[in-house]
Structures are given as structure tokens and as C-alpha cells.
Amino acid sequence: MNGGDGYQSYAKNSSFQKGAIEVAKEIIEEEIRNKLDTEKLSSSSTNIICIADFGCSTGPNTFHAMQIIVETIKKKIEKQLSVSHQMPEFQVFFNDRISNDFNTLFASLPQDRQYHAAGVPGSFHDCQFPKASLHFAYSSFTLHWLSEVPQEVADPLSPAWNKGKILYYGDKNEVFNAYAAQFAKDLDSFLKARAQELVFGGLMALLVCSESNHTKNISTITFPSFELLGSCLMDLAKEGLFDTAKVDSFNIPMYFPTPNELKALIEKNQDFSIERMEILNYPPKRFTTPDSKSFAIFIRTLIEALLQSHFGSSIMDELFRRYEQKVEESKLLSNPDESSMMTFVLLKCKQMT
């Protein structure tokens, strides 16, 4: 994500993500009240409740989510406290990749927060905490990011070579299958890591970018926003700014599972029980990015770093100028792809064997 707090930063262009958190707020509060064993937590010897946000980015959305979680746990404990017990302290860990802008994150920490804060740089696909050290884990708008692009989609000798495209759309089921296999592998790694870190009975709330249940046929899957971006890259290549092979070798490490697919993969993992799973009633991006300029900046904040590392920084302004123009000329904002959705999942950590 773009760091800093400028007009092209994630911090200034993530109202869509915040909106989904706000929609999930009542569900998170309800599930904490009903499912989190705060009596056991508040009676522990350390008297510290540890919470982690995996894929925190730069704020302010992570602070909003952590406030919801901490306040709800505190309210539940207050009702159960006996005279002999004190309110536990809260420790919140903010995790993201080492390239994340932690400076901006910590410079904008809320002054009135009710918890101690610490940063934990590292991949959320790997273990980042000691065994059984977390009581509540949270992650939103994170799991659709893959740990790496499937190698075969950038291999000209592979049937899954994704020539001229930057995501799994088009007419090659081999491309889709490669992305789906990478997601399954990454999700299993994520769940196994969290199963190590969470205490028995600990909870994990996930907000997962998803696609409507489809037939897993790539011809039924479209990503108009990324297809337009890919066409802009090809236009620049044809004009000689770089070779077309540069586009052929660039793929975005994103995958959006269907709810059925997500459920099946979690059940296959067996480290967690699914306590609740539902589609959030949340509108598409056009409600928070009403014009082509806003939408172009929104997409730029998400993937500019990936584009820069592959194509260099000199073309970014021209690339997104053209992208904004194509978005304006298309029907993307007036008739966006309605297959995208947000899936909420609450998981409980099972006893480790």
C-alpha cells in the first residue's frame, strides 16, 4: 500500500475498507460477547489480553477496528469482574510486511487509545508470535494478497502463461487453477501460523474480499478495473516505453475466493471451527469512489508499489493518467462488476494435539 499521508496514500484513500469494517462492527461485537471466554482470560496469571491485526497497513482503519475489539472485550469483562480481580491490560500488535510504512502508522496512533501498541513486521503467512500468546486475531482486506505470484503464470513454456494479462481473466483455466492453488497454499499457511499463536479457544475475525460462487471457469470471471489497467500497460509497451515482454511477466498477486471455496479450505485445515460465516451487506466501490479520478487514485494506492518495482517509477503518472481516462470512458463506475463481495468469518482455535 502507498505509505505516508499524502493525497495518493492508502491512509487518505481507504474509506471503502473502513466502510466494510463499520458494517461488520455489530457482528464482531456480538460474537465477542457470545463466544470469547473473558472469565478465563481475565483470571490468567499475566492479566494481559493480547490482540493482533494481521495486515494492518498504515491506518486509520486498523485503529478503528482495534478500538471496536478492545472496547467490546472491556465491557464484557467489566460485567464479570469480581472484587478480587482487576481489569486486564491490553496489548495490541500491528503486523504487516516489512515494507509497510510503520512510521506513518505509529505517528498517527490515537492518543486516547486503551492499549499498549507494538509493531511486528513480517509476513502474515508465517508465524510472528510465540505459541499460545494471542487471545484475539483480526485481519481485513488481507487474505486476497498472495505470498507470491504463481510461478507458472510468468513462464512462457507453461500452459498457464498469462501472456498480456495481469490477473486471472481471459480464456485460460490453467491460469485460474494456478492462482487458486496458490491461494489454497497461502491460506493453509496463514491458518496454521495463527493456530500456533492463538490460545485454545481464542477467536479470529476475518473480513475477506470474495467473489460470488461461480463455476471455476475463467471465462465467467472478469476484473474490469484490472483489465483496463492491463490495457494501459500494453498501450505504453506498444509505444516503446518498455518491451511487451515486461507486461507478459507482470502479474498481480491477488486472488478472490468464493465463500464456498473459503469455507471448504478452512474446514480442510482443521485447526479452527467456523463459528460464524456470512456475506456482508456492503455496497460496491462506486459508492466511495464516485468519479474516475478518485477511482484511479484508489487503485494506485493499492498496487503502485508492485508496478514501480517491475516497471520503474517514471511511468506512474502517465500510466494512471491514462487509466483515469479509460475509467472515465468506460462504464466501470456506472455499471461495476457486482460479483465482488465481503465475507465475514469468525473462527475459534481448537485444542492443539
Side-chain angles (χ1 to χ4, degrees), residues 51-276:
I51 303 164
D53 181 1
F54 292 91
C56 64
S57 193
T58 58
N61 295 340
T62 184
F63 306 138
H64 182 53
M66 293 305 99
Q67 180 182 358
I68 292 169
I69 293 167
V70 170
E71 287 185 351
T72 307
I73 295 175
K74 285 191 70 174
K75 288 178 182 177
K76 182 172 182 179
I77 292 176
E78 284 172 352
K79 293 182 178 180
Q80 300 169 335
L81 275 179
S82 64
V83 177
S84 59
H85 288 93
Q86 292 182 329
M87 175 64 69
E89 292 188 88
F90 288 80
Q91 174 72 65
V92 172
F93 298 98
F94 296 94
N95 162 262
D96 214 319
R97 302 181 72 87
I98 59 174
S99 56
N100 186 58
D101 185 2
F102 284 99
N103 287 335
T104 294
L105 176 76
F106 285 104
S108 55
L109 272 170
Q111 294 297 313
D112 59 348
R113 65 186 183 277
Q114 304 174 60
Y115 52 82
H116 303 285
V120 181
S123 172
F124 40 75
H125 294 111
D126 302 325
C127 283
Q128 298 297 337
F129 298 92
K131 289 184 178 180
S133 61
L134 297 178
H135 303 100
F136 196 99
Y138 171 85
S139 186
S140 67
F141 291 89
T142 298
L143 293 182
H144 63 283
W145 288 104
L146 303 177
S147 63
E148 61 181 357
V149 173
Q151 295 182 5
E152 54 266 48
V153 303
D155 181 0
L157 301 179
S158 169
W161 185 31
N162 202 23
K163 177 179 172 61
K165 299 178 178 65
I166 64 174
L167 200 59
Y168 54 98
Y169 53 83
D171 56 3
K172 285 189 176 181
N173 282 320
E174 294 90 347
V175 175
F176 174 84
N177 292 336
Y179 268 90
Q182 185 66 50
F183 176 80
K185 177 183 176 182
D186 286 346
L187 180 63
D188 188 59
S189 297
F190 177 86
L191 293 174
K192 284 181 177 177
R194 303 297 82 79
Q196 291 283 325
E197 298 162 345
L198 279 161
V199 300
F200 168 56
L203 298 181
M204 178 160 62
L206 306 174
L207 273 68
V208 185
C209 298
S210 313
E211 288 288 316
S212 58
N213 290 315
H214 48 65
T215 60
K216 290 195 173 184
N217 187 318
I218 196 170
S219 64
T220 67
I221 303 171
T222 60
F223 296 103
S225 56
F226 294 116
E227 291 179 44
L228 285 178
L229 183 62
S231 70
C232 290
L233 287 168
M234 287 302 297
D235 290 345
L236 293 176
K238 291 173 182 177
E239 293 175 17
L241 272 73
F242 42 79
D243 195 88
T244 55
K246 200 76 171 172
V247 183
D248 295 339
S249 60
F250 177 75
N251 292 273
I252 301 174
M254 285 183 179
Y255 180 81
F256 305 95
T258 69
N260 288 346
E261 184 180 11
L262 185 62
K263 183 174 185 288
L265 290 172
I266 293 171
E267 291 175 339
K268 181 180 179 181
N269 173 270
Q270 297 185 333
D271 289 321
F272 293 88
S273 62
I274 299 176
E275 300 294 310
R276 183 167 180 171

